[in-house]
Amino acid sequence: MPRPRVPPSVKKQQAAAAAGKVKLGDTAGMKHALDTAATAAVLNQGYKEDKFVPYTKLALGLLAIILALTGQFYPGKLKDNWWLVLSCVLGYAASSGGLTLFCTLKEGNAILFTLPRRGGIGIKVSSTLPRFSEFYTLQVEAVDKKEHFVRKPVELKKSVAEYFHSDGELATSVFQADVKKLLRSFEEKD
């Protein structure tokens, strides 16, 4: 079976995305490129990603989907199975609400949670790039709540113009060097 032909415009977009190019007015695209580069820089420093948050989100989402599908497609008439449909609807609402609460309270603006490194502590890396703003903020803080009070979070706030060329290509080496400096300043803080 032959592969479908990809239009040239889509090929250009895919090549630009692979090269780290974004449209300079697209703040969401710029934030995504910076977040990806920041995650790579942290993981290259020897940290391992903690999969608890993404796996918990997947589990809660999967539970909501299973409840929705069961309530929708369970065989039989509604008057015979109203208790099951009601249970599925309430379970769906609870799991969706739980997912929303978990994302809001635990994850927030985090792009990466790490496991403790070599007897140290795990870190939470979070970022913000407000709409219509040029300032990207990257924050590193301790994951362990006890350590959070010992080590204050460190923050990097710079204009995205320092990290993107005029053609929209991300200056990955410059950005990752700043992320490494930020990590070192966090690790040296006592």
Side-chain angles (χ1 to χ4, degrees):
M1 183 172 178
R3 296 177 80 184
R5 188 174 170 277
V6 179
S9 62
V10 173
K11 283 184 180 179
K12 284 181 184 177
Q13 290 174 349
Q14 290 173 342
K21 286 188 176 184
V22 296
K23 292 181 182 177
L24 293 178
D26 180 14
T27 55
M30 289 192 298
K31 182 179 184 310
H32 178 71
L34 290 167
D35 289 350
T36 303
T39 300
V42 171
L43 295 177
N44 287 338
Q45 293 300 306
Y47 286 95
K48 302 273 188 249
E49 184 177 1
D50 184 2
K51 306 271 191 206
F52 172 75
V53 171
Y55 286 169
T56 303
K57 287 168 45 180
L58 280 173
L60 287 170
L62 186 62
L63 177 64
I65 290 168
I66 289 170
L67 288 169
L69 289 174
T70 302
Q72 179 70 30
F73 296 113
Y74 192 80
K77 301 225 180 234
L78 179 62
K79 67 179 182 176
D80 299 331
N81 298 331
W82 67 268
W83 54 271
L84 178 75
V85 173
L86 179 64
S87 300
C88 288
V89 168
L90 292 176
Y92 175 81
S95 59
S96 294
L99 179 60
T100 302
L101 270 173
F102 181 79
C103 289
T104 303
L105 300 177
K106 175 71 176 166
E107 188 179 34
N109 291 329
I111 57 172
L112 178 68
F113 288 91
T114 69
L115 297 170
R117 184 177 82 161
R118 294 185 229 126
I121 57 168
I123 60 172
K124 172 185 172 184
V125 181
S126 54
S127 70
T128 56
L129 178 60
R131 192 171 180 191
F132 306 119
S133 175
E134 67 173 296
F135 293 103
Y136 177 79
T137 305
L138 188 70
Q139 185 178 40
V140 177
E141 61 184 298
V143 170
D144 185 14
K145 290 300 180 192
K146 296 174 195 165
E147 283 288 328
H148 184 70
F149 298 111
V150 176
R151 292 185 184 199
K152 293 184 179 177
V154 293
E155 190 174 281
L156 167 74
K157 184 173 186 171
K158 286 194 175 179
S159 171
V160 293
E162 295 184 36
Y163 300 125
F164 286 95
H165 299 289
S166 60
D167 64 349
E169 186 175 345
L170 175 63
T172 308
S173 58
V174 174
F175 178 66
Q176 288 186 344
D178 282 351
V179 173
K180 289 175 186 174
K181 286 179 195 172
L182 183 69
L183 277 174
R184 276 196 299 275
S185 69
F186 177 76
E187 292 167 351
E188 292 170 356
K189 265 188 162 180
D190 285 322

